[in-house]
Every structure is written in structure tokens, then in C-alpha cells.
Amino acid sequence: MSYIRFRKHYLHIPYLVLAALEFLALYAIFSLLSPLLSIAGVGYPSVDTNAMSANLFALILSCGTLAMGGYLAMVHESVSALFFRTLVAYCFVGGIGLKLLYLVVPTADPGSTNLFWAVIVASFVVIVLRLAFLRIVDSEQLVRRVVVLGDGSFAASLLDEYEHNMCALGVRIIGCIADSPNGTVAADKLLPKPEDFYKFCRQNRVSEIVIAQQERRRNEGGWLPVPQLMECKLRGIAITNGIDFYERELKKAKLDMVHPSWIVFSEGFKASKTRDFAKRSLDLFISLTLLAVTLPFIILTAIAVFLETGRPILYSQTRVGMLGKEFRIYKFRSMRQDAEKDGKARWASANDDRVTRVGAFIRNTRLDELPQLYNVIKGEMSIVGPRPERPEFVSELKDKVPFYDTRHYVKPGLMGWAQLKYPYGASVEDARGKLEYDLYYSKNHSLLMDFLIMIQTVEVILLGKGVR
């Protein structure tokens, strides 16, 4: 097994091992480099680094890596892209985080020169460590080999997602086993149908079989070798439902495979008063803290909007919240005053000509969303949750997208899982794609997952992802 499930969220063991190795490397670099620089007369000798300083250094830079998506991106990125991402994570995000931390804990500050060299050396050491780790863990000798049973649209979709979006280390889908004569999987992805499944798995070092058959084929007496699958299961080969594989590896619920019984009988989708109280307390603490920290930016943004297009500075819309209750959401106005002069709701489009110059900037930096802190304080929204949609679009999407209303059983948020994983949605098809991630969040959300989403949203803001 290459993953664990903690607080209903799947955590892949290779990433946890890599994070632990990086933390130890960062701790060692900070502990050893600073005294050596001081002896050489390059550093700042009057400050003694201690265990607390080294731990804080390693923790903040590790959070910087997580914030910039360093662990998940390394599977598909080139060495140059990995190098750039690590430098941004350490020198920019980590550097700012450490400087802010040293204002609160000045005794942990090793001095600017020591810190500079520690960050630079850490960046190069960690890049080498990641490349070596990736080469070892993702090698054919250690990789977890997976076979898909099925050759219909579900199986084809899974293969496509695997090739383009799979971010898990140490996973290799070696092909599909056809279950019908008229499948949609490409011929070069098909494996010969085995006579003995367990023998086939042993010969090909397969550790998991994913069942991704079409539901209609099962109803029509499609081929499912239950006795052989039972033998594989009892002899140590994992047997996984396609929707569970999607959830575990891609962190979403494949909408075409979702059915009511999955929602009714799954472990997730559980309401908890204790968790709701803790989440509400955290929302109030974070929103009030953000309001205090961003107050200068709020004032400057209001002035900039007023100077460019005059009043009103704020723009409000009706959105659908928890349990379908409507509320007014507030933003800094980023479009012309006549953006919807005919009164019809429109999806935002790429390079939308209704967006002003100031509006483009505050959208890219997410400054236009700051007034929604009021909605969080009021209790209509949370810091983390599915983004609320307009009633006009909700009415359309409920008719066209199955299970769309399930997202309204969780309080909407300023930032969300779908915003991290899916580009800006501006169509019914995009709404389907985002719902797959919203369903995963609705099923598995916890304070740990909220924390991970908040950290990773830093990358979205810095790189301007998902903005139109």
C-alpha cells in the first residue's frame, strides 16, 4: 500500500517520505551552515542558531514547497521548471514567511547573511534530493503496477487522466483488459485477456486491479471474473472500484461513475457539530486576522477603483449558499458599470472586454475578493468551501449536471478544492468538471484538508491561475 488515509484525506506515502527527508535536510543545512559561515567570517557570528531556529527554518520552507505545489508538480515538470518552482518557494514564499516570523520571534533570526546562504544552499540540495528520490521511487523496480479491467469510456477516461493529470509518485497503469468486443480504449493500451488472473498478476508484478466497467455491460451480462478476482484479493492483490481509484489518485469523484448508492453508503458526507464549531471558530479567527492585515490593501484598492470608474466601488450579486439559501456576495467592482446592462447573467470569458485595467489587476491578485471577508464573518461563507454560484446558473446546472445540488450541503467558501484543481469555469461542461472536485471535498472535507487548500492557494494567487 503506497498511501494512508488521515482524516478522510488520502496521503501518498512517497510524498510523506520525501517531505520528511527534505525537512531533515533543511534542518541539517541550517544547523551546520550557519556556524561554518560564522567561523569563516561570512555570516553573522553574534547569533547562535539553535534547535528552534532550525526547526522553524525547515518548517517554513517546507510550507513554501507545499504552497507552490512543489511535490505534486515534480512528477511531470522538467528540471528547469522544478528549479524555478523551488527557487520561488524558498527564496520568495519561504523568505517572506521567515522574515515575518522573525518579527514575532526575533531570537530565531540567524541574521540576513546566514539566512541568505542557507536558503540558496537549501534550494540546490533539495532539487538534487528530489531528482534522486523521483528516479528511485518512480523506477520500474519500485513502482506500483496497476491493471484496469474494462475498455469502455470509463477506462478510456481513466487512462487519459492518468497520462495528463496523475500526480502520484510510484504508480504505473500498464494497460487495460478488455471486457467486450466493442471497447473504446486504443488497441496499444489493451492487454491480452488472461486465463488465470493471479498468475497474470504474478508474472507482470501487478499489485492492483481497478474495476472500470460500464454499468450497462454489467446489466447485460458483461464479463466479470468474480472467482478469479476473489482469489487475487485473498492472495494479496488489491481490487479497487474505479470511482475509488479516481478518488484516491486524482482527488476527485468521477461524475459519470457516481450513483446514489455511492453517496448513501460511503464513509463520507457526514455532518459533525464538533467539526462545524471548530471550522466556524477558525473562520472567524482567520477572517478577522486577514481583515487586519489586508486593511491597507483594501483602502488602496477602493481608491484605485474609484479613480478609474467612480462609484459604486463595491459590486454585489446574489449567490446560492448552504442548503440553497440565497445571500448577497460582495466584491470590489472589476468590470464596467454596464457589464450586464440588459440584466442577463453571463459567464465570464477569457480576455473579457468588460474588465477594467484596475479590475484585471485586482482579479489577478484576488484583491477583488477581500470584501467577502464580511460574508465569512457574517457566517454566510467559510474560508474554504465550494465557490457559490449565481441562482440563474444554479437553476440551469441542476437540470443539466447530475448531483449538482450536493455541493449546497457544504458552506461555500472564499477558496476551494475545485479552484485549486480546475481552471476557471465558464460553461456547463466546466461546471461538471468542477463538481467532481466539489464532490470529493463535500465527501472528505476536514480541518486538515482546509489547511492544505489554504496553503496551496498561495500558488494560485502568485501565478494568477484561473483568472478571467
Side-chain angles (χ1 to χ4, degrees):
M1 185 175 68
S2 62
Y3 61 90
I4 59 173
R5 199 175 189 195
F6 181 74
R7 309 298 282 175
K8 299 189 295 184
H9 190 63
Y10 289 103
L11 301 173
H12 287 271
I13 292 175
Y15 289 123
L16 296 178
V17 172
L18 177 60
L21 290 174
E22 287 189 10
F23 186 92
L24 292 174
L26 292 170
Y27 184 96
I29 288 168
F30 187 86
S31 300
L32 298 175
L33 183 67
S34 188
L36 290 175
L37 289 174
S38 297
I39 293 172
V42 178
Y44 188 61
S46 64
V47 176
D48 291 328
T49 57
N50 51 37
M52 183 186 72
S53 301
N55 274 309
L56 290 175
F57 175 82
L59 178 63
I60 295 300
L61 291 197
S62 296
C63 287
T65 298
L66 185 61
M68 290 304 297
Y71 295 116
L72 298 181
M74 62 182 288
V75 178
H76 296 294
E77 279 190 335
S78 63
V79 175
S80 59
L82 175 63
F83 180 79
F84 172 76
R85 188 183 291 270
T86 303
L87 284 182
V88 173
Y90 283 5
C91 299
F92 184 72
V93 179
I96 292 176
L98 286 169
K99 281 300 183 182
L100 292 175
L101 181 66
Y102 294 153
L103 294 176
V104 181
V105 191
T107 55
D109 190 348
S112 298
T113 304
N114 283 350
L115 182 62
F116 171 79
W117 285 109
V119 169
I120 294 299
V121 172
S123 299
F124 284 96
V125 170
V126 165
I127 288 172
V128 173
L129 176 63
R130 285 182 194 164
L131 291 174
F133 188 86
L134 182 62
R135 188 177 184 86
I136 294 170
V137 174
D138 215 40
S139 64
E140 287 298 330
Q141 288 72 30
L142 296 180
V143 76
R144 176 162 52 91
R145 293 164 66 84
V146 177
V147 164
V148 178
L149 178 56
D151 63 340
S153 60
F154 294 163
S157 173
L158 194 154
L159 284 179
D160 183 66
E161 294 268 15
Y162 164 75
E163 292 176 355
H164 296 95
N165 300 318
M166 184 74 77
C167 295
L169 276 173
V171 179
R172 187 88 76 248
I173 297 180
I174 64 173
C176 294
I177 297 174
D179 65 333
S180 76
N182 301 310
T184 59
V185 173
D188 62 331
K189 304 293 183 182
L190 292 177
L191 301 170
K193 187 181 298 185
E195 295 293 333
D196 185 322
F197 259 73
Y198 181 71
K199 183 178 179 182
F200 169 83
C201 291
R202 288 292 301 273
Q203 290 175 342
N204 293 277
R205 296 186 293 111
V206 173
S207 56
E208 184 174 15
I209 301 172
V210 177
I211 311 299
Q213 291 185 307
Q214 301 294 97
E215 191 69 30
R216 60 178 178 80
R217 290 181 185 171
R218 295 185 190 180
N219 295 335
E220 295 167 1
W223 179 68
L224 184 64
V226 176
Q228 293 196 57
L229 293 177
M230 286 178 59
E231 180 186 9
C232 290
K233 174 84 171 185
L234 294 171
R235 299 184 71 170
I237 308 297
I239 308 296
T240 307
N241 194 309
I243 191 170
D244 295 331
F245 186 82
Y246 260 99
E247 183 181 353
R248 189 185 76 211
E249 302 295 344
L250 294 160
K251 304 297 186 293
K252 68 177 184 176
K254 185 60 177 174
L255 197 57
D256 293 337
M257 303 178 75
V258 171
H259 40 79
S261 62
W262 177 75
I263 296 176
V264 173
F265 296 110
S266 69
E267 294 180 8
F269 299 106
K270 291 181 180 178
S272 168
K273 291 184 178 180
T274 303
R275 184 183 61 213
D276 290 344
F277 175 79
K279 187 177 176 70
R280 177 61 181 152
S281 301
L282 189 63
D283 284 341
L284 285 173
F285 173 76
I286 293 176
S287 58
L288 291 172
T289 302
L290 281 175
L291 186 61
V293 171
T294 60
L295 186 59
F297 299 99
I298 291 174
I299 295 172
L300 290 174
T301 301
I303 294 172
V305 172
F306 176 76
L307 291 177
E308 184 179 36
T309 55
R311 297 180 179 177
I313 295 171
L314 293 179
Y315 176 65
S316 68
Q317 279 183 339
T318 301
R319 297 291 176 98
V320 178
M322 191 171 181
L323 300 178
K325 183 179 179 180
E326 295 184 2
F327 67 99
R328 300 293 294 180
I329 197 174
Y330 297 92
K331 293 184 178 184
F332 282 117
R333 187 163 53 80
S334 59
M335 290 188 175
R336 303 190 313 264
Q337 297 188 27
D338 62 347
E340 291 182 355
K341 57 186 177 181
D342 56 0
K344 293 182 179 179
R346 292 184 177 86
W347 298 100
S349 58
N351 302 315
D352 200 317
D353 60 5
R354 297 174 297 169
V355 178
T356 63
R357 286 177 298 175
V358 170
F361 176 77
I362 64 176
R363 281 185 168 218
N364 279 318
T365 55
R366 297 304 198 277
L367 290 172
D368 64 321
E369 308 281 358
L370 289 178
Q372 291 169 44
L373 291 172
Y374 167 76
N375 295 108
V376 176
I377 295 170
K378 194 177 177 182
E380 296 166 331
M381 293 177 65
S382 177
I383 293 294
V384 179
R387 287 295 293 164
E389 196 51 84
R390 300 174 69 173
E392 301 90 335
F393 296 145
V394 169
S395 299
E396 176 186 3
L397 294 171
K398 284 169 66 175
D399 293 334
K400 296 181 178 179
V401 181
F403 304 105
Y404 186 80
D405 210 29
T406 55
R407 70 197 305 274
H408 297 133
Y409 287 87
V410 178
K411 188 178 290 187
L414 279 174
M415 56 191 80
W417 189 239
Q419 279 62 51
L420 283 178
K421 299 296 183 178
Y422 197 88
Y424 190 95
S427 67
V428 173
E429 192 57 37
D430 286 337
R432 288 177 59 92
K434 290 175 64 177
L435 181 60
E436 293 182 337
Y437 292 104
D438 285 335
L439 269 174
Y440 178 88
Y441 178 81
S442 299
K443 180 176 183 287
N444 302 302
H445 70 97
S446 64
L447 294 182
L448 170 65
M449 190 174 182
D450 287 354
F451 176 71
L452 293 174
I453 290 172
M454 283 186 276
I455 290 181
Q456 292 176 75
T457 299
V458 172
E459 181 190 9
V460 175
I461 295 173
L462 289 180
L463 302 184
K465 289 185 174 182
V467 176
R468 289 194 179 183

